[in-house]
Amino acid sequence: MNYNYYIADVFTSQVFNGAQIAVFPNADGLSNEQMQLLAKELNLTETVFVFHPGSEGTTRKMRIFSPLVEIDFAGHPIIATAYVLGCCGDIKLTEAITPVVFEQNVGPIDVNISANQGKPFFVQFSRKVSSIVDRFAPTDEELAAFLSIQQSELDHKKYSPRLVSCGVPYLIVPVWSYESVRKAKFNYAAWSQSIAPQTAAQEILLFAPKTPFMDSDFNARLLGPRIGIHEDPPIGSAMPAFASYLCSFEHTRKGTHTFTVDRGDAKARRSVLNLEMDHKGQEQLALRVGGEAVMFAKGTVFLPA
């Protein structure tokens, strides 16, 4: 059996930027074992396998695999899948905005594909999330030690470190400058000697409310004991926690907020994520995440019958 796949660069409009995601637009017939082996073989952050529950309509089932395990939810694959399905004609884009539903393991996700002359150029998906925000955090001395930065670089004026979970706990740490985010290096020895492991957070979302780029409001980066010292992984899955974090501060006014978060820099596969959140002080936060994508490659896998 032959299976076509596409590789898209996500949250960017330029190749060699953003996050690379592989998408198999028609995976009907593949087994769990085959999907895991294919994801391992392609060795990208995430590989998406698309299934068609019905002969008509715009509902698709997504199965997402890292090289090691299946993932129940991820944001980058939504953008990549919508873009790929629109480009290859699996979903017809006859209107300016086409609504679709993608079923992930966590449930259905509403997606809007914006198109021009039948070609996708922007994808946005919606989620409602509940969060737990804990102000318990390691001391500034501990934070600076395991991030390899100076204590003076930590921001306590507008923001403060907090533990936020929308299912996965993140230790969110604000710093003053973009340069602090970029130069930080995770120190495992200092981490293990701090109280941080007791928080259950396995990843730190380090961010700065300043960036040298005109199209972004925040720069963010993930670090942690499971992330290589030179890695700068995709941040999409941390965005619900980040939005909930912003809403946990009194100076964040009620209403709809629109902002952008970028990851990386001009030399490190920069991504730009567009976010909208409806801050109403309610238990659930309505969040919309959008971005661009660009096609990078197309290939065919030859599997024995």
Side-chain angles (χ1 to χ4, degrees):
M1 291 289 292
N2 299 340
Y3 289 89
N4 292 330
Y5 70 92
Y6 298 80
I7 296 176
D9 290 339
V10 178
F11 288 119
T12 182
S13 59
Q14 298 179 315
V15 293
F16 303 113
N17 281 276
Q20 281 200 318
I21 307 292
V23 179
F24 285 76
N26 192 341
D28 299 285
L30 287 173
S31 67
N32 290 351
E33 181 182 12
Q34 288 173 318
M35 287 187 284
Q36 187 63 76
L37 286 171
L38 287 169
K40 184 177 181 180
E41 187 73 12
L42 291 174
N43 200 34
L44 297 175
T45 306
E46 288 136 344
T47 298
V48 183
F49 300 90
V50 181
F51 297 85
H52 301 69
S55 58
E56 299 180 357
T58 52
T59 296
R60 300 288 185 270
K61 171 69 177 177
M62 295 173 59
R63 299 280 298 278
I64 307 166
F65 288 79
S66 77
L68 298 177
V69 296
E70 184 171 7
I71 299 170
D72 290 334
F73 170 80
H76 287 70
I78 297 173
I79 308 297
T81 300
Y83 185 79
V84 166
L85 295 185
C87 283
C88 72
D90 183 86
I91 292 178
K92 303 298 181 183
L93 305 178
T94 57
E95 305 294 332
I97 298 178
T98 301
V100 300
V101 176
F102 288 162
E103 290 270 1
Q104 292 195 17
N105 288 351
V106 296
I109 296 165
D110 293 323
V111 181
N112 284 330
I113 306 174
S114 297
N116 183 14
Q117 295 183 341
K119 297 297 182 183
F121 67 86
F122 188 83
V123 179
Q124 184 185 67
F125 66 90
S126 305
R127 286 197 76 196
K128 286 188 176 181
V129 297
S130 298
S131 63
I132 299 174
V133 180
D134 191 342
R135 301 190 183 195
F136 172 79
T139 64
D140 283 7
E141 183 179 3
E142 291 174 323
L143 290 169
F146 61 67
L147 291 170
S148 305
I149 61 176
Q150 300 297 315
Q151 291 186 47
S152 59
E153 297 177 71
L154 297 167
D155 174 10
H156 278 288
K157 187 173 182 180
K158 186 173 184 180
Y159 300 106
S160 61
R162 292 181 179 178
L163 183 71
V164 183
S165 176
C166 295
V168 176
Y170 291 91
L171 178 60
I172 302 182
V173 180
V175 290
W176 291 108
S177 73
Y178 168 87
E179 289 73 22
S180 296
V181 176
R182 301 308 308 154
K183 74 177 184 181
K185 285 185 171 55
F186 183 75
N187 184 317
Y188 185 84
W191 168 270
S192 62
Q193 294 169 11
S194 74
I195 64 167
Q198 299 175 30
T199 66
Q202 290 297 310
E203 294 186 349
I204 306 153
L205 184 68
L206 185 66
F207 81 94
K210 296 178 181 178
T211 167
F213 299 98
M214 295 294 292
D215 60 349
S216 59
D217 302 300
F218 298 93
N219 179 261
R221 181 179 167 201
L222 285 171
L223 303 98
R226 300 174 181 173
I227 299 172
I229 191 171
H230 297 297
E231 290 182 33
D232 196 351
I235 59 172
S237 297
M239 288 302 95
F242 183 61
S244 299
Y245 169 87
L246 295 177
C247 291
S248 72
F249 291 89
E250 292 183 359
H251 58 72
T252 302
R253 295 181 178 179
K254 299 289 196 304
T256 298
H257 296 261
T258 301
F259 56 96
T260 55
V261 182
D262 72 352
R263 176 206 62 87
D265 56 35
K267 298 179 181 179
R269 302 197 65 90
R270 182 172 178 262
S271 299
V272 181
L273 290 75
N274 296 265
L275 289 95
E276 293 179 3
M277 62 182 185
D278 299 328
H279 179 31
K280 299 180 180 180
Q282 298 176 347
E283 182 178 339
Q284 285 194 319
L285 173 66
L287 179 67
R288 295 172 292 280
V289 182
E292 298 177 89
V294 59
M295 198 73 78
F296 175 72
K298 176 185 177 181
T300 304
V301 169
F302 306 103
L303 295 181

mmCIF file of all heavy atoms in Angstrom, residues 168-201:
data_model
loop_
_atom_site.group_PDB
_atom_site.id
_atom_site.type_symbol
_atom_site.label_atom_id
_atom_site.label_comp_id
_atom_site.label_asym_id
_atom_site.label_seq_id
_atom_site.Cartn_x
_atom_site.Cartn_y
_atom_site.Cartn_z
ATOM 1 N N VAL A 168 -1.999 19.896 31.901
ATOM 2 C CA VAL A 168 -0.557 19.699 32.017
ATOM 3 C C VAL A 168 0.012 20.904 32.760
ATOM 4 O O VAL A 168 -0.209 22.040 32.343
ATOM 5 C CB VAL A 168 0.114 19.564 30.636
ATOM 6 C CG1 VAL A 168 1.624 19.449 30.783
ATOM 7 C CG2 VAL A 168 -0.450 18.371 29.884
ATOM 8 N N PRO A 169 0.732 20.697 33.878
ATOM 9 C CA PRO A 169 1.238 21.832 34.653
ATOM 10 C C PRO A 169 2.490 22.456 34.043
ATOM 11 O O PRO A 169 3.412 21.749 33.641
ATOM 12 C CB PRO A 169 1.543 21.221 36.020
ATOM 13 C CG PRO A 169 1.812 19.775 35.745
ATOM 14 C CD PRO A 169 0.985 19.408 34.547
ATOM 15 N N TYR A 170 2.483 23.781 33.976
ATOM 16 C CA TYR A 170 3.649 24.537 33.524
ATOM 17 C C TYR A 170 4.051 25.520 34.614
ATOM 18 O O TYR A 170 3.188 26.164 35.227
ATOM 19 C CB TYR A 170 3.343 25.331 32.253
ATOM 20 C CG TYR A 170 3.122 24.488 31.025
ATOM 21 C CD1 TYR A 170 1.845 24.058 30.672
ATOM 22 C CD2 TYR A 170 4.185 24.127 30.205
ATOM 23 C CE1 TYR A 170 1.631 23.286 29.543
ATOM 24 C CE2 TYR A 170 3.964 23.347 29.068
ATOM 25 C CZ TYR A 170 2.701 22.941 28.745
ATOM 26 O OH TYR A 170 2.487 22.170 27.630
ATOM 27 N N LEU A 171 5.338 25.645 34.836
ATOM 28 C CA LEU A 171 5.854 26.706 35.689
ATOM 29 C C LEU A 171 6.143 27.889 34.773
ATOM 30 O O LEU A 171 7.045 27.825 33.932
ATOM 31 C CB LEU A 171 7.132 26.251 36.403
ATOM 32 C CG LEU A 171 7.811 27.286 37.300
ATOM 33 C CD1 LEU A 171 6.885 27.750 38.415
ATOM 34 C CD2 LEU A 171 9.104 26.731 37.882
ATOM 35 N N ILE A 172 5.350 28.954 34.896
ATOM 36 C CA ILE A 172 5.464 30.099 33.989
ATOM 37 C C ILE A 172 6.267 31.198 34.673
ATOM 38 O O ILE A 172 5.925 31.646 35.766
ATOM 39 C CB ILE A 172 4.076 30.602 33.561
ATOM 40 C CG1 ILE A 172 3.308 29.448 32.885
ATOM 41 C CG2 ILE A 172 4.200 31.785 32.614
ATOM 42 C CD1 ILE A 172 1.930 29.822 32.374
ATOM 43 N N VAL A 173 7.351 31.601 34.023
ATOM 44 C CA VAL A 173 8.317 32.519 34.631
ATOM 45 C C VAL A 173 8.516 33.737 33.723
ATOM 46 O O VAL A 173 8.930 33.584 32.564
ATOM 47 C CB VAL A 173 9.670 31.827 34.871
ATOM 48 C CG1 VAL A 173 10.665 32.797 35.501
ATOM 49 C CG2 VAL A 173 9.492 30.585 35.758
ATOM 50 N N PRO A 174 8.231 34.954 34.232
ATOM 51 C CA PRO A 174 8.431 36.163 33.432
ATOM 52 C C PRO A 174 9.818 36.780 33.663
ATOM 53 O O PRO A 174 10.328 36.799 34.785
ATOM 54 C CB PRO A 174 7.339 37.098 33.958
ATOM 55 C CG PRO A 174 7.199 36.708 35.409
ATOM 56 C CD PRO A 174 7.531 35.239 35.504
ATOM 57 N N VAL A 175 10.407 37.262 32.588
ATOM 58 C CA VAL A 175 11.648 38.030 32.680
ATOM 59 C C VAL A 175 11.440 39.356 31.958
ATOM 60 O O VAL A 175 10.476 39.529 31.217
ATOM 61 C CB VAL A 175 12.850 37.267 32.077
ATOM 62 C CG1 VAL A 175 13.233 36.078 32.942
ATOM 63 C CG2 VAL A 175 12.557 36.816 30.656
ATOM 64 N N TRP A 176 12.359 40.272 32.183
ATOM 65 C CA TRP A 176 12.200 41.603 31.614
ATOM 66 C C TRP A 176 12.445 41.629 30.108
ATOM 67 O O TRP A 176 11.761 42.324 29.369
ATOM 68 C CB TRP A 176 13.169 42.583 32.277
ATOM 69 C CG TRP A 176 12.857 42.882 33.698
ATOM 70 C CD1 TRP A 176 13.553 42.464 34.797
ATOM 71 C CD2 TRP A 176 11.774 43.656 34.202
ATOM 72 N NE1 TRP A 176 12.969 42.924 35.950
ATOM 73 C CE2 TRP A 176 11.868 43.665 35.613
ATOM 74 C CE3 TRP A 176 10.711 44.339 33.603
ATOM 75 C CZ2 TRP A 176 10.952 44.331 36.420
ATOM 76 C CZ3 TRP A 176 9.807 45.011 34.407
ATOM 77 C CH2 TRP A 176 9.934 45.009 35.794
ATOM 78 N N SER A 177 13.468 40.885 29.650
ATOM 79 C CA SER A 177 13.935 41.111 28.287
ATOM 80 C C SER A 177 13.928 39.862 27.423
ATOM 81 O O SER A 177 14.054 38.719 27.911
ATOM 82 C CB SER A 177 15.358 41.687 28.305
ATOM 83 O OG SER A 177 16.294 40.687 28.675
ATOM 84 N N TYR A 178 13.803 40.098 26.146
ATOM 85 C CA TYR A 178 13.892 39.063 25.118
ATOM 86 C C TYR A 178 15.243 38.346 25.209
ATOM 87 O O TYR A 178 15.328 37.122 25.047
ATOM 88 C CB TYR A 178 13.699 39.744 23.763
ATOM 89 C CG TYR A 178 14.029 38.920 22.550
ATOM 90 C CD1 TYR A 178 13.080 38.079 21.974
ATOM 91 C CD2 TYR A 178 15.283 39.015 21.933
ATOM 92 C CE1 TYR A 178 13.364 37.349 20.830
ATOM 93 C CE2 TYR A 178 15.581 38.288 20.787
ATOM 94 C CZ TYR A 178 14.623 37.456 20.244
ATOM 95 O OH TYR A 178 14.900 36.732 19.120
ATOM 96 N N GLU A 179 16.297 39.100 25.467
ATOM 97 C CA GLU A 179 17.638 38.520 25.527
ATOM 98 C C GLU A 179 17.745 37.483 26.638
ATOM 99 O O GLU A 179 18.424 36.466 26.487
ATOM 100 C CB GLU A 179 18.682 39.627 25.734
ATOM 101 C CG GLU A 179 18.904 40.528 24.528
ATOM 102 C CD GLU A 179 17.766 41.502 24.281
ATOM 103 O OE1 GLU A 179 17.011 41.794 25.252
ATOM 104 O OE2 GLU A 179 17.626 41.982 23.135
ATOM 105 N N SER A 180 17.039 37.721 27.752
ATOM 106 C CA SER A 180 17.067 36.758 28.856
ATOM 107 C C SER A 180 16.427 35.433 28.446
ATOM 108 O O SER A 180 16.897 34.354 28.816
ATOM 109 C CB SER A 180 16.343 37.326 30.081
ATOM 110 O OG SER A 180 16.997 38.470 30.576
ATOM 111 N N VAL A 181 15.348 35.520 27.687
ATOM 112 C CA VAL A 181 14.682 34.302 27.212
ATOM 113 C C VAL A 181 15.610 33.516 26.304
ATOM 114 O O VAL A 181 15.756 32.295 26.421
ATOM 115 C CB VAL A 181 13.368 34.641 26.467
ATOM 116 C CG1 VAL A 181 12.739 33.382 25.882
ATOM 117 C CG2 VAL A 181 12.395 35.338 27.397
ATOM 118 N N ARG A 182 16.253 34.215 25.393
ATOM 119 C CA ARG A 182 17.070 33.542 24.397
ATOM 120 C C ARG A 182 18.339 32.921 24.996
ATOM 121 O O ARG A 182 18.778 31.866 24.560
ATOM 122 C CB ARG A 182 17.472 34.519 23.285
ATOM 123 C CG ARG A 182 16.313 35.164 22.541
ATOM 124 C CD ARG A 182 15.308 34.178 22.012
ATOM 125 N NE ARG A 182 15.949 33.121 21.226
ATOM 126 C CZ ARG A 182 15.435 31.920 21.070
ATOM 127 N NH1 ARG A 182 14.294 31.592 21.649
ATOM 128 N NH2 ARG A 182 16.054 31.019 20.332
ATOM 129 N N LYS A 183 18.939 33.562 26.004
ATOM 130 C CA LYS A 183 20.225 33.067 26.521
ATOM 131 C C LYS A 183 20.065 32.049 27.645
ATOM 132 O O LYS A 183 21.040 31.393 28.027
ATOM 133 C CB LYS A 183 21.075 34.236 27.019
ATOM 134 C CG LYS A 183 20.613 34.835 28.343
ATOM 135 C CD LYS A 183 21.542 35.926 28.819
ATOM 136 C CE LYS A 183 21.130 36.453 30.194
ATOM 137 N NZ LYS A 183 22.012 37.533 30.673
ATOM 138 N N ALA A 184 18.859 31.897 28.192
ATOM 139 C CA ALA A 184 18.648 30.982 29.320
ATOM 140 C C ALA A 184 19.056 29.556 28.946
ATOM 141 O O ALA A 184 18.843 29.113 27.823
ATOM 142 C CB ALA A 184 17.190 31.021 29.762
ATOM 143 N N LYS A 185 19.632 28.859 29.930
ATOM 144 C CA LYS A 185 19.998 27.456 29.752
ATOM 145 C C LYS A 185 19.565 26.682 30.988
ATOM 146 O O LYS A 185 19.825 27.104 32.117
ATOM 147 C CB LYS A 185 21.507 27.302 29.526
ATOM 148 C CG LYS A 185 21.975 27.715 28.143
ATOM 149 C CD LYS A 185 23.455 27.417 27.948
ATOM 150 C CE LYS A 185 23.885 27.632 26.501
ATOM 151 N NZ LYS A 185 23.574 28.972 26.012
ATOM 152 N N PHE A 186 18.893 25.569 30.752
ATOM 153 C CA PHE A 186 18.380 24.781 31.873
ATOM 154 C C PHE A 186 19.521 24.062 32.584
ATOM 155 O O PHE A 186 20.359 23.410 31.946
ATOM 156 C CB PHE A 186 17.348 23.765 31.376
ATOM 157 C CG PHE A 186 16.726 22.960 32.481
ATOM 158 C CD1 PHE A 186 15.771 23.529 33.307
ATOM 159 C CD2 PHE A 186 17.115 21.650 32.701
ATOM 160 C CE1 PHE A 186 15.197 22.792 34.333
ATOM 161 C CE2 PHE A 186 16.541 20.904 33.718
ATOM 162 C CZ PHE A 186 15.586 21.487 34.543
ATOM 163 N N ASN A 187 19.536 24.190 33.918
ATOM 164 C CA ASN A 187 20.550 23.554 34.756
ATOM 165 C C ASN A 187 19.877 22.455 35.573
ATOM 166 O O ASN A 187 19.166 22.747 36.540
ATOM 167 C CB ASN A 187 21.210 24.602 35.662
ATOM 168 C CG ASN A 187 22.347 24.030 36.489
ATOM 169 O OD1 ASN A 187 22.243 22.941 37.050
ATOM 170 N ND2 ASN A 187 23.438 24.769 36.584
ATOM 171 N N TYR A 188 20.086 21.208 35.175
ATOM 172 C CA TYR A 188 19.381 20.098 35.821
ATOM 173 C C TYR A 188 19.786 19.944 37.281
ATOM 174 O O TYR A 188 18.942 19.655 38.145
ATOM 175 C CB TYR A 188 19.638 18.795 35.066
ATOM 176 C CG TYR A 188 18.840 17.637 35.617
ATOM 177 C CD1 TYR A 188 17.528 17.431 35.205
ATOM 178 C CD2 TYR A 188 19.384 16.768 36.564
ATOM 179 C CE1 TYR A 188 16.769 16.390 35.715
ATOM 180 C CE2 TYR A 188 18.634 15.716 37.080
ATOM 181 C CZ TYR A 188 17.331 15.542 36.652
ATOM 182 O OH TYR A 188 16.583 14.511 37.168
ATOM 183 N N ALA A 189 21.064 20.138 37.590
ATOM 184 C CA ALA A 189 21.523 19.984 38.975
ATOM 185 C C ALA A 189 20.834 20.992 39.897
ATOM 186 O O ALA A 189 20.371 20.645 40.992
ATOM 187 C CB ALA A 189 23.039 20.140 39.044
ATOM 188 N N ALA A 190 20.738 22.243 39.442
ATOM 189 C CA ALA A 190 20.080 23.271 40.255
ATOM 190 C C ALA A 190 18.583 22.992 40.379
ATOM 191 O O ALA A 190 17.977 23.217 41.429
ATOM 192 C CB ALA A 190 20.320 24.654 39.640
ATOM 193 N N TRP A 191 17.977 22.487 39.304
ATOM 194 C CA TRP A 191 16.557 22.127 39.323
ATOM 195 C C TRP A 191 16.295 21.050 40.373
ATOM 196 O O TRP A 191 15.369 21.159 41.181
ATOM 197 C CB TRP A 191 16.148 21.654 37.934
ATOM 198 C CG TRP A 191 14.805 20.973 37.812
ATOM 199 C CD1 TRP A 191 14.551 19.643 37.943
ATOM 200 C CD2 TRP A 191 13.540 21.591 37.527
ATOM 201 N NE1 TRP A 191 13.219 19.379 37.750
ATOM 202 C CE2 TRP A 191 12.564 20.560 37.494
ATOM 203 C CE3 TRP A 191 13.134 22.898 37.286
ATOM 204 C CZ2 TRP A 191 11.227 20.810 37.230
ATOM 205 C CZ3 TRP A 191 11.795 23.143 37.021
ATOM 206 C CH2 TRP A 191 10.856 22.115 37.001
ATOM 207 N N SER A 192 17.089 20.004 40.367
ATOM 208 C CA SER A 192 16.871 18.871 41.270
ATOM 209 C C SER A 192 17.078 19.247 42.730
ATOM 210 O O SER A 192 16.522 18.609 43.626
ATOM 211 C CB SER A 192 17.791 17.709 40.884
ATOM 212 O OG SER A 192 19.151 18.079 41.001
ATOM 213 N N GLN A 193 17.861 20.301 42.987
ATOM 214 C CA GLN A 193 18.109 20.748 44.357
ATOM 215 C C GLN A 193 17.098 21.785 44.835
ATOM 216 O O GLN A 193 17.101 22.171 46.001
ATOM 217 C CB GLN A 193 19.526 21.326 44.467
ATOM 218 C CG GLN A 193 20.618 20.284 44.255
ATOM 219 C CD GLN A 193 21.995 20.895 44.099
ATOM 220 O OE1 GLN A 193 22.177 22.072 44.345
ATOM 221 N NE2 GLN A 193 22.959 20.084 43.678
ATOM 222 N N SER A 194 16.200 22.231 43.937
ATOM 223 C CA SER A 194 15.203 23.247 44.285
ATOM 224 C C SER A 194 13.887 22.565 44.664
ATOM 225 O O SER A 194 13.765 21.342 44.616
ATOM 226 C CB SER A 194 14.981 24.187 43.101
ATOM 227 O OG SER A 194 14.227 23.540 42.085
ATOM 228 N N ILE A 195 12.898 23.396 44.984
ATOM 229 C CA ILE A 195 11.568 22.848 45.295
ATOM 230 C C ILE A 195 10.760 22.624 44.023
ATOM 231 O O ILE A 195 9.646 22.110 44.081
ATOM 232 C CB ILE A 195 10.777 23.780 46.232
ATOM 233 C CG1 ILE A 195 10.494 25.132 45.546
ATOM 234 C CG2 ILE A 195 11.499 23.968 47.553
ATOM 235 C CD1 ILE A 195 9.460 25.967 46.268
ATOM 236 N N ALA A 196 11.306 23.000 42.860
ATOM 237 C CA ALA A 196 10.557 22.926 41.603
ATOM 238 C C ALA A 196 9.992 21.542 41.302
ATOM 239 O O ALA A 196 8.829 21.430 40.890
ATOM 240 C CB ALA A 196 11.432 23.414 40.447
ATOM 241 N N PRO A 197 10.763 20.452 41.463
ATOM 242 C CA PRO A 197 10.179 19.138 41.168
ATOM 243 C C PRO A 197 8.929 18.820 41.983
ATOM 244 O O PRO A 197 8.082 18.033 41.548
ATOM 245 C CB PRO A 197 11.328 18.165 41.487
ATOM 246 C CG PRO A 197 12.567 18.986 41.284
ATOM 247 C CD PRO A 197 12.197 20.357 41.770
ATOM 248 N N GLN A 198 8.778 19.448 43.150
ATOM 249 C CA GLN A 198 7.601 19.208 43.978
ATOM 250 C C GLN A 198 6.335 19.816 43.375
ATOM 251 O O GLN A 198 5.221 19.452 43.759
ATOM 252 C CB GLN A 198 7.818 19.787 45.381
ATOM 253 C CG GLN A 198 8.990 19.186 46.145
ATOM 254 C CD GLN A 198 9.221 19.890 47.469
ATOM 255 O OE1 GLN A 198 8.282 20.399 48.086
ATOM 256 N NE2 GLN A 198 10.467 19.930 47.912
ATOM 257 N N THR A 199 6.479 20.751 42.437
ATOM 258 C CA THR A 199 5.317 21.399 41.825
ATOM 259 C C THR A 199 4.655 20.498 40.781
ATOM 260 O O THR A 199 3.571 20.820 40.306
ATOM 261 C CB THR A 199 5.721 22.717 41.145
ATOM 262 O OG1 THR A 199 6.580 22.425 40.030
ATOM 263 C CG2 THR A 199 6.448 23.638 42.115
ATOM 264 N N ALA A 200 5.300 19.421 40.397
ATOM 265 C CA ALA A 200 4.828 18.474 39.374
ATOM 266 C C ALA A 200 5.008 19.022 37.959
ATOM 267 O O ALA A 200 4.748 18.319 36.982
ATOM 268 C CB ALA A 200 3.371 18.074 39.586
ATOM 269 N N ALA A 201 5.432 20.262 37.821
ATOM 270 C CA ALA A 201 5.679 20.819 36.487
ATOM 271 C C ALA A 201 6.958 20.217 35.910
ATOM 272 O O ALA A 201 7.988 20.183 36.580
ATOM 273 C CB ALA A 201 5.792 22.337 36.562
#
